[in-house]
């Protein structure tokens, strides 16, 4: 293997270890959640996850570092799972110490150029639309009130204004989500909490 292949293989190996690390825990949580809350059985039936990503703020040091765990589910299961998502996240965060759980779906992106070539107009399949949906998924259960874009030369900054309602949000969670947005989307996203 050359240097590039080695780096790619190590990254893939790391993601496989992360998947194995959490797969059994998630499966156990699903079973316990159905037993404790039977009304969620339809929403959690045949629950699947395709990929798991663990994100840590490298600037933090110590033993009890909060980590963001992103679970990717099939797009076709997203709507049904929404009914149980909040219960699932709260239950899993109790089981995994010092964790923040986010769930998003794997989406197919069709470039505008290819859409023009095929004479198909599907905004929901564009990169911009997919980015917006991923941002909304990752900040759940908070509500997006507004979004602004700022341009500083070549730097594009997206500021998302959110309301947290009855839920709490910590600075570490805001920082981890910003890191996740950059790693997943390649965009600088800043969350601004509105006082309401």
């Amino acid at each position: 293997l050359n240097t590039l292949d080695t780096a790619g293989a190590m990254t893939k190996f790391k993601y496989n270890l992360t998947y194995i690390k959490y797969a059994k825990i998630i499966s156990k949580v699903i079973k316990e959640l159905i037993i404790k809350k039977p009304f969620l059985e339809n929403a959690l039936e045949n629950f699947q996850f395709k990929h798991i990503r663990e994100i840590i703020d490298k600037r933090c040091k110590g033993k009890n570092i909060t980590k963001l765990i992103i679970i990717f589910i099939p797009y076709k299961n997203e709507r049904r799972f929404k009914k149980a998502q909040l219960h699932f996240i709260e239950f899993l965060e109790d089981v995994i110490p010092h964790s923040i759980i986010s769930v998003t779906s794997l989406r197919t992106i069709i470039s505008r150029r290819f859409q023009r070539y095929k004479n198909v107009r599907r905004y929901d399949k564009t990169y911009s639309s997919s980015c917006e949906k991923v941002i909304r998924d990752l900040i759940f259960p908070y509500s997006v009130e507004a979004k602004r874009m700022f341009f500083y030369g070549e730097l594009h900054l997206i500021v998302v204004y959110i309301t947290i309602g009855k839920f709490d949000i910590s600075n570490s969670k805001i920082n981890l989500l910003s890191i996740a947005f950059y790693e997943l989307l390649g965009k600088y996203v800043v969350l601004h909490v509105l006082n309401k």
Side-chain angles (χ1 to χ4, degrees), residues 33-47:
L33 201 53
I34 291 174
I35 293 172
K36 292 184 177 181
K37 300 185 178 183
F39 63 92
L40 297 176
E41 186 174 359
N42 290 334
L44 295 172
E45 189 179 10
N46 299 322
F47 177 80

Side-chain angles (χ1 to χ4, degrees), residues 33-171:
L33 201 53
I34 291 174
I35 293 172
K36 292 184 177 181
K37 300 185 178 183
F39 63 92
L40 297 176
E41 186 174 359
N42 290 334
L44 295 172
E45 189 179 10
N46 299 322
F47 177 80
Q48 296 177 339
F49 48 94
K50 296 292 186 180
H51 183 59
I52 301 173
R53 183 84 173 263
E54 184 183 74
I55 294 177
I56 298 173
D57 190 346
K58 296 178 181 178
R59 297 170 297 181
C60 298
K61 295 181 181 180
K63 293 182 179 179
N64 300 327
I65 299 175
T66 302
K67 55 198 170 218
L68 173 64
I69 302 168
I70 304 174
I71 302 169
F72 296 83
I73 65 175
Y75 180 71
K76 63 181 181 179
N77 296 343
E78 183 184 41
R79 182 174 294 181
R80 183 173 62 178
F81 178 70
K82 283 289 183 186
K83 299 174 183 177
Q85 186 170 346
L86 181 60
H87 300 279
F88 172 77
I89 288 173
E90 290 177 341
F91 201 93
L92 192 56
E93 286 179 346
D94 288 338
V95 173
I96 304 175
H98 311 293
S99 67
I100 297 168
I101 309 297
S102 287
V103 180
T104 188
S105 60
L106 295 169
R107 292 180 169 86
T108 301
I109 297 174
I110 304 175
S111 67
R112 292 182 185 274
R113 183 177 180 182
F114 186 78
Q115 288 190 26
R116 285 196 298 270
Y117 175 74
K118 289 291 187 179
N119 196 25
V120 177
R121 296 291 184 268
R122 290 289 302 274
Y123 176 73
D124 61 313
K125 295 291 186 181
T126 61
Y127 177 72
S128 299
S129 174
S130 296
C131 286
E132 289 178 11
K133 290 175 182 175
V134 169
I135 290 173
R136 288 182 182 273
D137 287 347
L138 294 188
I139 67 172
F140 178 86
Y142 314 117
S143 301
V144 176
E145 296 296 327
K147 186 177 71 171
R148 295 181 67 185
M149 293 188 68
F150 298 90
F151 300 91
Y152 304 97
E154 296 182 357
L155 175 63
H156 298 176
L157 180 66
I158 302 174
V159 180
V160 179
Y161 298 90
I162 64 172
T163 52
I164 61 175
K166 63 179 182 180
F167 305 99
D168 295 325
I169 188 167
S170 61
N171 289 330

